[in-house]
Amino acid sequence: MVNTTIKTTKSQEVFAAAQNLMPGGVSSPVRAFKSVGGQPIVFERVKGAYIWDVDGNKYIDYVGTWGPAICGHAHPEVIAALHEALEKGTSFGAPSVLENVLAEMVIDAVPSIEMVRFVNSGTEACMGVLRLMRAFTNRDKIIKFEGCYHGHADTFLVKAGSGVATLGLPDSPGVPKAATSTTLTAPFNDLEAVKALFEENRDEIAGVILEPVVGNAGFIAPDAGFLEGLRELTHEYGALLVFDEVMTGFRIAYGGAQEKFGVTPDLTTLGKVIGGGLPVGAYGGRRDIMSMVAPAGPVYQAGTLSGNPLAMTAGIKTLELLQKPGTYESLEQITKKLADGLQQIAKETGHAACGGQISAMFGLFFTSGPVHNYEDAKKSDTAKFGRFHRGMLEHGVYLAPSQFEAGFTSFAHTEEDIEQTLAVARDVMSSL
Ligand SMILES: *Cc1c(COP(=O)(O)O)cnc(C)c1O
């Protein structure tokens, strides 16, 4: 083995105490290790491609705080910008120049966005966009895809991905039937199913929302023609197309999946990377639709801390760093090396596995595949993934604690980090 097995005594103590204080000992369910066994490690600090736990162990990190850390954790320029902003105060609750700056950057980058509204999380962005879709079209129903996650609002908790998939919750108690009666679902990559829903619900469907590249059911890429097909169908049936790019925005490409695949939706949600590690979400799109949002229009949505100066500052600096020439090429190169390497090692060590990668987002399923949708993903050997996860963790590699989550790299990850990760993976897979 490349490393010696780690000691996590302090992590265990802190987590044991946390379980009395917070449900499940965590502030968000995906952080628990329920589906991989064992206990979460408790973090002390993060820097670049690495994290350190409270016992002093160092790990190469492929979670990247679930997406935001694309420049690497605690990038010195982001931290310096935050120090400067901090001196001017932590919240204004009033307009600031910083909002204009980040808004212009987002509008310049993301093809569909002509106007933007900042919020505090991806969940909030998806809630806002949902109300807007319905208001603009005067229709209530929406189509979402099995295994896609759009935050934890009632309407979206139907066949949702991420923690809902990880924990095997079909949906959640406390969600009234009325809230999900307007949610129609289809398998990802299945245009025929979407067309059938449009036919059965003529003039009733406000729009289609999706992760253009799925990350919350594990990594699943769109089949050739799928996004284009959705664009055509939504046009044909007078519905809106919404890309939830909370995960893919500024990660798949600077302009998100819509830039990468050349398909422009009507509305887009963002989060994660645009906050640079602080709480930010955003939704935006066509000017005629966004003009309906209050106070320009009648669709109400508000937030005490929205457009927060610290969050705007971290977002602006992060996007500036991403604009440096060659960033996405190097992200692609590093991540391809990792994803290809993992599949190759799985093959050589006799495991059925498949996976993929686009830019700085990757996945590995313990099933022979191919995986086109959540049903396919669910054929994975999750017990084997659990053993793999534990083995990697014990040898200094931190992966998302679920088969149904994507992995993330950053431009802080070096070739050596990838090589070390693959060496560990070879050892672990050899003894799975
Ligand atoms: C993370 C995520 C969300 C939710 O964002 P939060 O900031 O966790 O509320 C929504 N949609 C997608 C695609 C995501 O990956």
Side-chain angles (χ1 to χ4, degrees):
M1 284 282 180
V2 174
N3 246 327
T4 51
T5 297
I6 54 162
K7 244 177 66 186
T8 55
T9 324
K10 266 197 198 162
S11 264
Q12 285 170 33
E13 277 170 26
V14 175
F15 188 64
Q19 280 181 297
N20 271 326
L21 303 170
M22 295 169 284
V26 289
S27 297
S28 185
V30 292
R31 298 176 195 172
F33 276 31
K34 284 210 157 165
S35 73
V36 290
Q39 290 195 349
I41 55 160
V42 177
F43 287 22
E44 167 97 5
R45 68 192 170 93
V46 294
K47 185 78 186 165
Y50 312 115
I51 57 178
W52 285 262
D53 69 14
V54 286
D55 291 279
N57 301 300
K58 179 186 177 184
Y59 307 80
I60 304 173
D61 177 30
Y62 294 104
V63 181
T65 184
W66 300 92
I70 195 166
C71 300
H73 291 290
H75 191 287
E77 289 187 42
V78 176
I79 299 294
L82 280 171
H83 273 297
E84 207 175 298
L86 192 55
E87 292 300 322
K88 297 179 185 167
T90 59
S91 178
F92 301 159
S96 77
V97 177
L98 296 165
E99 292 163 271
N100 289 22
V101 175
L102 189 57
E104 269 183 18
M105 291 176 96
V106 167
I107 289 164
D108 283 350
V110 185
S112 66
I113 299 187
E114 294 172 346
M115 277 184 130
V116 64
R117 164 61 54 89
F118 291 115
V119 294
N120 302 290
S121 70
T123 293
E124 244 191 276
C126 293
M127 288 169 69
V129 98
L130 174 69
R131 184 171 298 148
L132 186 56
M133 286 161 82
R134 287 169 163 169
F136 185 79
T137 57
N138 225 345
R139 299 173 177 182
D140 286 345
K141 292 184 181 173
I142 60 151
I143 297 176
K144 77 176 281 292
F145 294 91
E146 293 161 15
C148 281
Y149 180 67
H150 306 296
H152 61 80
D154 286 353
T155 304
F156 295 123
L157 285 184
V158 181
K159 297 184 180 171
S162 191
V164 190
T166 300
L167 304 178
L169 305 173
D171 45 58
S172 171
V175 175
K177 277 203 189 79
T180 54
S181 61
T182 49
T183 311
L184 311 172
T185 62
F188 196 75
N189 277 324
D190 189 341
L191 282 177
E192 285 308 311
V194 176
K195 192 172 169 63
L197 288 174
F198 271 119
E199 279 299 320
E200 287 158 24
N201 299 274
R202 270 189 176 272
D203 304 324
E204 290 182 281
I205 296 174
V208 176
I209 184 167
L210 74 154
E211 297 176 60
V213 176
V214 182
N216 285 294
F219 172 86
I220 306 173
D223 290 344
F226 178 60
L227 301 176
E228 292 83 349
L230 291 177
R231 183 64 283 185
E232 280 166 27
L233 282 173
T234 45
H235 274 318
E236 191 181 331
Y237 290 92
L240 298 173
L241 181 61
V242 183
F243 280 5
D244 178 354
E245 299 229 40
V246 170
M247 187 182 286
T248 53
F250 297 93
R251 176 166 288 278
I252 288 292
Y254 190 70
Q258 52 200 276
E259 176 196 308
K260 172 91 187 166
F261 293 99
V263 175
T264 306
D266 301 294
L267 293 165
T268 298
T269 55
L270 294 167
K272 298 188 171 123
V273 171
I274 58 154
L278 274 86
V280 183
Y283 60 101
R286 275 166 42 192
R287 185 174 295 275
D288 59 330
I289 307 176
M290 289 305 291
S291 299
M292 287 190 75
V293 177
V299 179
Y300 196 69
Q301 185 273 309
T304 301
L305 291 172
S306 296
N308 174 270
L310 292 179
M312 295 294 105
T313 298
I316 291 164
K317 186 48 82 177
T318 297
L319 297 200
E320 278 175 12
L321 289 165
L322 288 171
Q323 286 173 357
K324 288 190 182 153
T327 298
Y328 288 90
E329 288 78 356
S330 76
L331 286 171
E332 172 71 26
Q333 194 184 322
I334 285 274
T335 317
K336 186 165 172 37
K337 180 172 173 150
L338 177 66
D340 288 356
L342 288 173
Q343 284 174 75
Q344 183 63 26
I345 290 163
K347 205 168 142 193
E348 286 169 17
T349 50
H351 300 289
C354 68
Q357 149 280 332
I358 301 175
S359 182
M361 193 171 155
F362 70 94
L364 180 78
F365 291 112
F366 281 112
T367 176
S368 53
V371 172
H372 294 289
N373 56 41
Y374 185 42
E375 276 308 302
D376 296 339
K378 280 198 291 193
K379 291 177 189 144
S380 301
D381 186 340
T382 53
K384 184 180 278 184
F385 179 84
R387 294 194 299 277
F388 175 65
H389 182 271
R390 172 114 323 244
M392 296 298 280
L393 188 74
E394 285 176 351
H395 297 91
V397 178
Y398 189 71
L399 298 170
S402 166
Q403 173 72 100
F404 305 114
E405 298 284 356
F408 302 118
T409 49
S410 73
F411 61 73
H413 287 80
T414 61
E415 295 268 344
E416 295 81 73
D417 291 328
I418 304 297
E419 277 153 24
Q420 191 183 337
T421 302
L422 292 175
V424 169
R426 183 174 293 279
D427 281 351
V428 171
M429 284 199 203
S430 299
S431 54
L432 273 189

Short mmCIF file of all heavy atoms in Angstrom, two decimals, residues 265-327:
data_model
loop_
_atom_site.label_atom_id
_atom_site.label_comp_id
_atom_site.label_asym_id
_atom_site.label_seq_id
_atom_site.Cartn_x
_atom_site.Cartn_y
_atom_site.Cartn_z
N PRO A 265 -30.71 27.27 -23.45
CA PRO A 265 -32.03 27.18 -22.82
C PRO A 265 -32.63 28.57 -22.67
O PRO A 265 -32.01 29.57 -23.03
CB PRO A 265 -31.70 26.58 -21.45
CG PRO A 265 -30.32 27.09 -21.15
CD PRO A 265 -29.61 27.20 -22.48
N ASP A 266 -33.88 28.63 -22.16
CA ASP A 266 -34.51 29.92 -21.90
C ASP A 266 -34.06 30.50 -20.56
O ASP A 266 -33.92 31.72 -20.42
CB ASP A 266 -36.03 29.76 -21.90
CG ASP A 266 -36.53 29.21 -23.22
OD1 ASP A 266 -36.40 29.93 -24.23
OD2 ASP A 266 -37.00 28.05 -23.26
N LEU A 267 -33.87 29.61 -19.60
CA LEU A 267 -33.48 30.03 -18.25
C LEU A 267 -32.40 29.10 -17.73
O LEU A 267 -32.33 27.93 -18.15
CB LEU A 267 -34.69 29.98 -17.30
CG LEU A 267 -35.82 30.98 -17.57
CD1 LEU A 267 -37.08 30.57 -16.79
CD2 LEU A 267 -35.41 32.40 -17.19
N THR A 268 -31.61 29.61 -16.80
CA THR A 268 -30.49 28.84 -16.25
C THR A 268 -30.38 29.11 -14.77
O THR A 268 -30.56 30.25 -14.33
CB THR A 268 -29.17 29.28 -16.94
OG1 THR A 268 -29.27 29.00 -18.34
CG2 THR A 268 -27.96 28.55 -16.37
N THR A 269 -30.09 28.07 -14.00
CA THR A 269 -29.76 28.28 -12.59
C THR A 269 -28.27 28.02 -12.39
O THR A 269 -27.67 27.19 -13.06
CB THR A 269 -30.56 27.35 -11.66
OG1 THR A 269 -30.37 25.99 -12.08
CG2 THR A 269 -32.03 27.68 -11.70
N LEU A 270 -27.69 28.79 -11.47
CA LEU A 270 -26.26 28.67 -11.15
C LEU A 270 -26.10 28.62 -9.63
O LEU A 270 -27.00 28.96 -8.88
CB LEU A 270 -25.50 29.89 -11.70
CG LEU A 270 -25.43 30.05 -13.21
CD1 LEU A 270 -24.93 31.45 -13.57
CD2 LEU A 270 -24.54 28.99 -13.85
N GLY A 271 -24.92 28.21 -9.20
CA GLY A 271 -24.59 28.16 -7.78
C GLY A 271 -23.14 27.71 -7.67
O GLY A 271 -22.35 27.94 -8.58
N LYS A 272 -22.81 27.04 -6.60
CA LYS A 272 -21.50 26.43 -6.43
C LYS A 272 -20.33 27.30 -6.92
O LYS A 272 -19.93 28.20 -6.20
CB LYS A 272 -21.50 25.02 -7.03
CG LYS A 272 -22.53 24.15 -6.29
CD LYS A 272 -22.56 22.69 -6.59
CE LYS A 272 -23.49 21.99 -5.59
NZ LYS A 272 -24.58 21.23 -6.13
N VAL A 273 -19.80 27.09 -8.12
CA VAL A 273 -18.59 27.82 -8.55
C VAL A 273 -18.78 29.34 -8.48
O VAL A 273 -17.86 30.06 -8.06
CB VAL A 273 -18.15 27.42 -9.98
CG1 VAL A 273 -17.05 28.34 -10.49
CG2 VAL A 273 -17.66 25.97 -10.01
N ILE A 274 -19.94 29.87 -8.84
CA ILE A 274 -20.07 31.33 -8.86
C ILE A 274 -20.01 31.97 -7.48
O ILE A 274 -19.91 33.19 -7.36
CB ILE A 274 -21.34 31.88 -9.58
CG1 ILE A 274 -22.60 31.36 -8.95
CG2 ILE A 274 -21.29 31.69 -11.07
CD1 ILE A 274 -23.77 32.31 -9.19
N GLY A 275 -20.05 31.15 -6.43
CA GLY A 275 -19.87 31.69 -5.09
C GLY A 275 -18.45 31.54 -4.58
O GLY A 275 -18.12 32.04 -3.49
N GLY A 276 -17.61 30.85 -5.35
CA GLY A 276 -16.20 30.70 -4.95
C GLY A 276 -16.03 30.17 -3.54
O GLY A 276 -15.04 30.46 -2.88
N GLY A 277 -16.99 29.39 -3.05
CA GLY A 277 -16.88 28.83 -1.71
C GLY A 277 -17.71 29.57 -0.67
O GLY A 277 -17.74 29.18 0.50
N LEU A 278 -18.37 30.63 -1.10
CA LEU A 278 -19.33 31.29 -0.21
C LEU A 278 -20.74 31.02 -0.74
O LEU A 278 -20.91 30.60 -1.87
CB LEU A 278 -19.05 32.80 -0.11
CG LEU A 278 -18.00 33.07 1.00
CD1 LEU A 278 -16.60 32.93 0.47
CD2 LEU A 278 -18.24 34.41 1.64
N PRO A 279 -21.76 31.24 0.12
CA PRO A 279 -23.11 30.86 -0.30
C PRO A 279 -23.69 31.80 -1.37
O PRO A 279 -24.03 32.93 -1.07
CB PRO A 279 -23.94 30.96 0.98
CG PRO A 279 -22.95 31.06 2.10
CD PRO A 279 -21.73 31.69 1.51
N VAL A 280 -23.77 31.31 -2.60
CA VAL A 280 -24.38 32.07 -3.70
C VAL A 280 -25.15 31.12 -4.61
O VAL A 280 -24.74 30.00 -4.85
CB VAL A 280 -23.33 32.79 -4.59
CG1 VAL A 280 -24.02 33.61 -5.68
CG2 VAL A 280 -22.43 33.70 -3.77
N GLY A 281 -26.27 31.60 -5.11
CA GLY A 281 -26.97 30.95 -6.21
C GLY A 281 -27.41 32.06 -7.13
O GLY A 281 -27.30 33.24 -6.79
N ALA A 282 -27.88 31.69 -8.32
CA ALA A 282 -28.39 32.72 -9.23
C ALA A 282 -29.32 32.06 -10.23
O ALA A 282 -29.17 30.88 -10.52
CB ALA A 282 -27.25 33.40 -9.97
N TYR A 283 -30.29 32.82 -10.71
CA TYR A 283 -31.03 32.35 -11.88
C TYR A 283 -31.13 33.50 -12.86
O TYR A 283 -31.14 34.67 -12.48
CB TYR A 283 -32.39 31.75 -11.53
CG TYR A 283 -33.38 32.64 -10.83
CD1 TYR A 283 -34.43 33.23 -11.55
CD2 TYR A 283 -33.32 32.87 -9.46
CE1 TYR A 283 -35.37 34.03 -10.91
CE2 TYR A 283 -34.26 33.66 -8.81
CZ TYR A 283 -35.28 34.24 -9.55
OH TYR A 283 -36.21 35.03 -8.91
N GLY A 284 -31.14 33.13 -14.13
CA GLY A 284 -31.16 34.17 -15.14
C GLY A 284 -31.60 33.58 -16.47
O GLY A 284 -31.81 32.38 -16.60
N GLY A 285 -31.73 34.47 -17.45
CA GLY A 285 -32.14 33.99 -18.76
C GLY A 285 -32.62 35.13 -19.63
O GLY A 285 -32.15 36.27 -19.49
N ARG A 286 -33.59 34.80 -20.48
CA ARG A 286 -34.12 35.78 -21.44
C ARG A 286 -34.64 37.02 -20.70
O ARG A 286 -35.31 36.93 -19.68
CB ARG A 286 -35.27 35.14 -22.22
CG ARG A 286 -34.83 34.34 -23.42
CD ARG A 286 -35.94 33.46 -23.97
NE ARG A 286 -37.24 34.11 -24.03
CZ ARG A 286 -38.37 33.46 -24.26
NH1 ARG A 286 -38.38 32.15 -24.47
NH2 ARG A 286 -39.52 34.11 -24.31
N ARG A 287 -34.35 38.17 -21.28
CA ARG A 287 -34.74 39.44 -20.67
C ARG A 287 -36.27 39.54 -20.49
O ARG A 287 -36.75 40.01 -19.46
CB ARG A 287 -34.24 40.59 -21.55
CG ARG A 287 -34.46 41.97 -20.99
CD ARG A 287 -33.80 43.02 -21.89
NE ARG A 287 -32.36 42.88 -21.90
CZ ARG A 287 -31.55 43.41 -20.99
NH1 ARG A 287 -32.04 44.15 -19.99
NH2 ARG A 287 -30.24 43.24 -21.05
N ASP A 288 -37.02 39.06 -21.50
CA ASP A 288 -38.48 39.18 -21.39
C ASP A 288 -39.02 38.33 -20.24
O ASP A 288 -40.01 38.70 -19.60
CB ASP A 288 -39.17 38.80 -22.72
CG ASP A 288 -38.87 37.38 -23.18
OD1 ASP A 288 -37.76 36.87 -22.87
OD2 ASP A 288 -39.73 36.78 -23.84
N ILE A 289 -38.37 37.22 -19.95
CA ILE A 289 -38.83 36.38 -18.84
C ILE A 289 -38.35 36.97 -17.51
O ILE A 289 -39.13 37.13 -16.56
CB ILE A 289 -38.31 34.93 -18.99
CG1 ILE A 289 -38.66 34.34 -20.36
CG2 ILE A 289 -38.89 34.05 -17.88
CD1 ILE A 289 -38.10 32.95 -20.61
N MET A 290 -37.07 37.33 -17.44
CA MET A 290 -36.50 37.85 -16.19
C MET A 290 -37.15 39.18 -15.78
O MET A 290 -37.18 39.51 -14.58
CB MET A 290 -34.98 38.02 -16.33
CG MET A 290 -34.19 36.73 -16.36
SD MET A 290 -34.49 35.64 -14.95
CE MET A 290 -33.74 36.56 -13.60
N SER A 291 -37.70 39.90 -16.75
CA SER A 291 -38.35 41.18 -16.43
C SER A 291 -39.63 40.97 -15.62
O SER A 291 -40.22 41.94 -15.12
CB SER A 291 -38.67 41.96 -17.72
OG SER A 291 -37.47 42.23 -18.41
N MET A 292 -40.06 39.74 -15.49
CA MET A 292 -41.24 39.45 -14.68
C MET A 292 -40.92 39.34 -13.19
O MET A 292 -41.80 39.27 -12.34
CB MET A 292 -41.89 38.14 -15.13
CG MET A 292 -42.62 38.25 -16.45
SD MET A 292 -43.59 36.76 -16.76
CE MET A 292 -44.96 36.98 -15.63
N VAL A 293 -39.60 39.28 -12.86
CA VAL A 293 -39.22 39.11 -11.46
C VAL A 293 -39.33 40.44 -10.71
O VAL A 293 -38.90 41.49 -11.22
CB VAL A 293 -37.77 38.56 -11.37
CG1 VAL A 293 -37.32 38.43 -9.91
CG2 VAL A 293 -37.66 37.21 -12.08
N ALA A 294 -39.88 40.39 -9.49
CA ALA A 294 -40.03 41.59 -8.66
C ALA A 294 -38.66 42.20 -8.33
O ALA A 294 -37.71 41.47 -8.13
CB ALA A 294 -40.76 41.22 -7.37
N PRO A 295 -38.54 43.51 -8.30
CA PRO A 295 -39.61 44.50 -8.41
C PRO A 295 -39.89 44.96 -9.85
O PRO A 295 -40.79 45.78 -10.03
CB PRO A 295 -39.08 45.67 -7.59
CG PRO A 295 -37.60 45.61 -7.82
CD PRO A 295 -37.27 44.14 -7.93
N ALA A 296 -39.14 44.43 -10.84
CA ALA A 296 -39.45 44.83 -12.22
C ALA A 296 -40.83 44.32 -12.62
O ALA A 296 -41.56 44.99 -13.34
CB ALA A 296 -38.37 44.29 -13.17
N GLY A 297 -41.17 43.14 -12.14
CA GLY A 297 -42.45 42.53 -12.48
C GLY A 297 -43.13 41.95 -11.25
O GLY A 297 -42.68 42.18 -10.12
N PRO A 298 -44.18 41.14 -11.46
CA PRO A 298 -45.01 40.69 -10.35
C PRO A 298 -44.59 39.39 -9.65
O PRO A 298 -45.19 39.02 -8.65
CB PRO A 298 -46.37 40.47 -11.05
CG PRO A 298 -46.01 40.05 -12.44
CD PRO A 298 -44.73 40.79 -12.78
N VAL A 299 -43.56 38.71 -10.18
CA VAL A 299 -43.20 37.40 -9.60
C VAL A 299 -42.30 37.61 -8.39
O VAL A 299 -41.15 38.02 -8.52
CB VAL A 299 -42.50 36.50 -10.64
CG1 VAL A 299 -42.11 35.16 -10.03
CG2 VAL A 299 -43.39 36.30 -11.86
N TYR A 300 -42.84 37.32 -7.20
CA TYR A 300 -42.12 37.68 -5.99
C TYR A 300 -41.01 36.70 -5.64
O TYR A 300 -41.18 35.50 -5.71
CB TYR A 300 -43.06 37.82 -4.79
CG TYR A 300 -42.37 38.56 -3.67
CD1 TYR A 300 -42.07 39.91 -3.81
CD2 TYR A 300 -41.95 37.89 -2.53
CE1 TYR A 300 -41.38 40.59 -2.82
CE2 TYR A 300 -41.25 38.58 -1.53
CZ TYR A 300 -40.97 39.92 -1.68
OH TYR A 300 -40.28 40.59 -0.71
N GLN A 301 -39.90 37.25 -5.24
CA GLN A 301 -38.75 36.47 -4.77
C GLN A 301 -37.78 37.47 -4.16
O GLN A 301 -37.52 38.52 -4.74
CB GLN A 301 -38.12 35.69 -5.93
CG GLN A 301 -36.98 34.74 -5.54
CD GLN A 301 -35.64 35.46 -5.52
OE1 GLN A 301 -35.27 36.14 -6.47
NE2 GLN A 301 -34.93 35.35 -4.41
N ALA A 302 -37.27 37.16 -2.96
CA ALA A 302 -36.46 38.13 -2.22
C ALA A 302 -35.42 37.43 -1.36
O ALA A 302 -35.44 36.21 -1.22
CB ALA A 302 -37.38 38.97 -1.33
N GLY A 303 -34.49 38.19 -0.75
CA GLY A 303 -33.49 37.59 0.13
C GLY A 303 -32.69 38.62 0.90
O GLY A 303 -32.07 39.49 0.29
N THR A 304 -32.69 38.51 2.23
CA THR A 304 -31.97 39.45 3.09
C THR A 304 -30.49 39.53 2.72
O THR A 304 -29.91 40.60 2.62
CB THR A 304 -32.11 39.02 4.57
OG1 THR A 304 -33.50 39.02 4.89
CG2 THR A 304 -31.36 39.97 5.50
N LEU A 305 -29.86 38.38 2.53
CA LEU A 305 -28.42 38.35 2.29
C LEU A 305 -28.07 38.19 0.81
O LEU A 305 -26.89 38.06 0.45
CB LEU A 305 -27.79 37.22 3.11
CG LEU A 305 -27.79 37.45 4.63
CD1 LEU A 305 -27.32 36.22 5.37
CD2 LEU A 305 -26.94 38.65 5.02
N SER A 306 -29.06 38.21 -0.07
CA SER A 306 -28.78 38.02 -1.50
C SER A 306 -27.87 39.12 -2.03
O SER A 306 -28.05 40.30 -1.72
CB SER A 306 -30.09 38.02 -2.29
OG SER A 306 -30.89 36.92 -1.92
N GLY A 307 -26.89 38.73 -2.86
CA GLY A 307 -25.94 39.70 -3.40
C GLY A 307 -24.93 40.12 -2.35
O GLY A 307 -24.26 41.15 -2.49
N ASN A 308 -24.79 39.33 -1.32
CA ASN A 308 -23.88 39.61 -0.21
C ASN A 308 -22.47 39.98 -0.70
O ASN A 308 -21.92 39.31 -1.57
CB ASN A 308 -23.81 38.37 0.69
CG ASN A 308 -22.79 38.52 1.79
OD1 ASN A 308 -21.64 38.17 1.63
ND2 ASN A 308 -23.22 39.08 2.89
N PRO A 309 -21.89 41.08 -0.17
CA PRO A 309 -20.62 41.56 -0.71
C PRO A 309 -19.46 40.56 -0.61
O PRO A 309 -18.62 40.50 -1.51
CB PRO A 309 -20.33 42.82 0.12
CG PRO A 309 -21.25 42.78 1.30
CD PRO A 309 -22.43 41.98 0.87
N LEU A 310 -19.41 39.79 0.45
CA LEU A 310 -18.34 38.79 0.56
C LEU A 310 -18.53 37.69 -0.49
O LEU A 310 -17.59 37.27 -1.16
CB LEU A 310 -18.31 38.16 1.96
CG LEU A 310 -17.88 39.08 3.10
CD1 LEU A 310 -17.94 38.33 4.43
CD2 LEU A 310 -16.49 39.63 2.86
N ALA A 311 -19.77 37.24 -0.63
CA ALA A 311 -20.05 36.18 -1.60
C ALA A 311 -19.79 36.66 -3.03
O ALA A 311 -19.21 35.94 -3.85
CB ALA A 311 -21.50 35.71 -1.44
N MET A 312 -20.19 37.91 -3.32
CA MET A 312 -19.94 38.47 -4.66
C MET A 312 -18.43 38.55 -4.92
O MET A 312 -17.95 38.24 -6.00
CB MET A 312 -20.56 39.87 -4.79
CG MET A 312 -22.08 39.95 -4.70
SD MET A 312 -22.97 39.16 -6.07
CE MET A 312 -23.55 37.67 -5.27
N THR A 313 -17.69 38.97 -3.90
CA THR A 313 -16.23 39.12 -4.03
C THR A 313 -15.57 37.78 -4.35
O THR A 313 -14.72 37.69 -5.25
CB THR A 313 -15.65 39.69 -2.72
OG1 THR A 313 -16.21 40.99 -2.51
CG2 THR A 313 -14.14 39.80 -2.79
N ALA A 314 -15.94 36.75 -3.61
CA ALA A 314 -15.36 35.42 -3.85
C ALA A 314 -15.72 34.92 -5.24
O ALA A 314 -14.89 34.32 -5.95
CB ALA A 314 -15.83 34.44 -2.79
N GLY A 315 -16.95 35.20 -5.66
CA GLY A 315 -17.40 34.78 -6.99
C GLY A 315 -16.63 35.50 -8.10
O GLY A 315 -16.15 34.88 -9.05
N ILE A 316 -16.50 36.81 -7.95
CA ILE A 316 -15.80 37.61 -8.97
C ILE A 316 -14.36 37.13 -9.11
O ILE A 316 -13.86 36.88 -10.22
CB ILE A 316 -15.80 39.12 -8.57
CG1 ILE A 316 -17.22 39.69 -8.67
CG2 ILE A 316 -14.84 39.92 -9.47
CD1 ILE A 316 -17.41 41.01 -7.95
N LYS A 317 -13.66 36.97 -7.98
CA LYS A 317 -12.26 36.56 -8.04
C LYS A 317 -12.12 35.16 -8.63
O LYS A 317 -11.22 34.89 -9.44
CB LYS A 317 -11.64 36.63 -6.63
CG LYS A 317 -10.17 36.37 -6.56
CD LYS A 317 -9.34 37.16 -7.59
CE LYS A 317 -9.05 38.58 -7.17
NZ LYS A 317 -8.19 39.30 -8.16
N THR A 318 -13.03 34.27 -8.29
CA THR A 318 -12.99 32.91 -8.82
C THR A 318 -13.16 32.92 -10.34
O THR A 318 -12.42 32.26 -11.07
CB THR A 318 -14.08 32.05 -8.15
OG1 THR A 318 -13.79 31.98 -6.75
CG2 THR A 318 -14.12 30.63 -8.73
N LEU A 319 -14.14 33.69 -10.83
CA LEU A 319 -14.34 33.75 -12.29
C LEU A 319 -13.14 34.38 -12.98
O LEU A 319 -12.72 33.95 -14.05
CB LEU A 319 -15.63 34.50 -12.64
CG LEU A 319 -16.96 33.90 -12.15
CD1 LEU A 319 -18.13 34.44 -12.96
CD2 LEU A 319 -16.97 32.39 -12.16
N GLU A 320 -12.56 35.40 -12.34
CA GLU A 320 -11.35 36.01 -12.93
C GLU A 320 -10.24 34.97 -13.08
O GLU A 320 -9.57 34.91 -14.12
CB GLU A 320 -10.84 37.15 -12.03
CG GLU A 320 -11.56 38.46 -12.25
CD GLU A 320 -11.13 39.55 -11.26
OE1 GLU A 320 -10.12 39.36 -10.54
OE2 GLU A 320 -11.83 40.57 -11.20
N LEU A 321 -10.06 34.17 -12.06
CA LEU A 321 -9.02 33.12 -12.12
C LEU A 321 -9.32 32.12 -13.23
O LEU A 321 -8.41 31.64 -13.92
CB LEU A 321 -8.91 32.40 -10.78
CG LEU A 321 -8.30 33.22 -9.63
CD1 LEU A 321 -8.56 32.55 -8.28
CD2 LEU A 321 -6.80 33.40 -9.85
N LEU A 322 -10.60 31.83 -13.43
CA LEU A 322 -10.99 30.85 -14.46
C LEU A 322 -10.79 31.39 -15.88
O LEU A 322 -10.72 30.62 -16.84
CB LEU A 322 -12.45 30.42 -14.27
CG LEU A 322 -12.70 29.53 -13.05
CD1 LEU A 322 -14.20 29.34 -12.84
CD2 LEU A 322 -12.02 28.17 -13.22
N GLN A 323 -10.72 32.73 -15.99
CA GLN A 323 -10.57 33.33 -17.32
C GLN A 323 -9.15 33.21 -17.86
O GLN A 323 -8.92 33.47 -19.04
CB GLN A 323 -10.95 34.82 -17.28
CG GLN A 323 -12.46 35.04 -17.18
CD GLN A 323 -12.81 36.50 -16.96
OE1 GLN A 323 -11.92 37.34 -16.82
NE2 GLN A 323 -14.09 36.80 -16.93
N LYS A 324 -8.21 32.84 -17.01
CA LYS A 324 -6.82 32.71 -17.49
C LYS A 324 -6.74 31.68 -18.60
O LYS A 324 -7.33 30.60 -18.48
CB LYS A 324 -5.90 32.30 -16.33
CG LYS A 324 -5.66 33.40 -15.34
CD LYS A 324 -4.55 33.06 -14.35
CE LYS A 324 -4.40 34.20 -13.35
NZ LYS A 324 -3.86 33.77 -12.06
N PRO A 325 -6.02 32.01 -19.68
CA PRO A 325 -5.96 31.09 -20.82
C PRO A 325 -5.44 29.71 -20.41
O PRO A 325 -4.53 29.62 -19.58
CB PRO A 325 -4.96 31.77 -21.77
CG PRO A 325 -4.85 33.18 -21.31
CD PRO A 325 -5.23 33.23 -19.88
N GLY A 326 -6.03 28.67 -20.96
CA GLY A 326 -5.53 27.32 -20.72
C GLY A 326 -6.14 26.60 -19.52
O GLY A 326 -5.91 25.42 -19.32
N THR A 327 -6.93 27.34 -18.72
CA THR A 327 -7.50 26.74 -17.50
C THR A 327 -8.30 25.47 -17.81
O THR A 327 -8.08 24.42 -17.22
CB THR A 327 -8.44 27.75 -16.81
OG1 THR A 327 -7.67 28.87 -16.43
CG2 THR A 327 -9.09 27.15 -15.58
#
